[in-house]
């Protein structure tokens, strides 16, 4: 019987390992980029939501609009049924979100 030398590392095995690595990288890189984009949007949302809370706590909140990093954030304040209503609209790259908070009127 003839014995085969099994001690070597074949070029085919190297190519298969490289192909698997390449496939994993091409699948994971877009996911990582989407994750970073969503994280950035979430940070902006949290920051401007806290600004909405601070503005609503003031006695006379002002309507205004902020444009930053392809985000357009619009703050609108109204009085509804004895409550102050503050709404924040976020528009960014095809996304539209609206969040509202209520506060008591001073009086």
């Amino acid at each position: 019987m003839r014995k085969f030398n099994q001690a070597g590392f074949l070029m085919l095995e190297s190519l298969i390992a490289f192909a698997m690595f390449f496939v994993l990288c091409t699948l994971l890189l877009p996911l990582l980029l989407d994750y970073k984009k969503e994280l950035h949007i979430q940070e902006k949302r949290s920051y401007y939501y806290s600004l909405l809370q601070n503005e609503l706590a003031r006695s006379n909140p002002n309507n205004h609009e902020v444009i930053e990093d392809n985000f357009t954030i619009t703050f609108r304040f109204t009085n509804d049924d004895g409550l102050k209503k503050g709404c924040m609209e976020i528009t960014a790259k095809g996304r539209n979100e609206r969040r509202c908070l209520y506060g008591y009127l001073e009086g």
Side-chain angles (χ1 to χ4, degrees):
M1 284 194 116
R2 192 190 314 189
K3 291 187 177 181
F4 294 101
N5 186 4
Q6 298 288 330
F9 188 70
L10 297 176
M11 183 66 154
L12 182 60
E13 292 172 340
S14 300
L15 289 174
I16 290 172
F18 179 73
M20 290 172 53
F21 177 74
F22 183 73
V23 168
L24 283 175
C25 287
T26 57
L27 291 175
L28 294 178
L29 186 62
L31 291 175
L32 179 65
L33 294 176
D34 285 344
Y35 174 75
K36 286 190 175 194
K37 185 172 85 172
E38 289 295 322
L39 182 65
H40 180 67
I41 290 171
Q42 181 63 31
E43 287 173 354
K44 292 285 184 186
R45 183 186 303 132
S46 298
Y47 173 72
Y48 286 110
Y49 196 68
S50 68
L51 285 182
L52 176 65
Q53 289 176 327
N54 291 342
E55 193 72 23
L56 194 62
R58 293 178 50 198
S59 61
N60 193 10
N62 297 323
N63 296 336
H64 60 281
E65 183 174 281
V66 177
I67 299 174
E68 177 184 327
D69 293 340
N70 297 325
F71 289 87
T72 303
I73 299 97
T74 306
F75 295 99
R76 290 195 171 85
F77 299 95
T78 57
N79 294 334
D80 287 347
D81 299 327
L83 295 173
K84 287 190 286 188
K85 179 181 179 182
C87 290
M88 170 182 72
E89 294 178 24
I90 301 174
T91 306
K93 299 176 187 170
R95 282 184 169 216
N96 294 326
E97 291 183 32
R98 182 177 181 172
R99 300 212 177 180
C100 295
L101 291 175
Y102 291 89
Y104 291 110
L105 288 171
E106 297 173 358

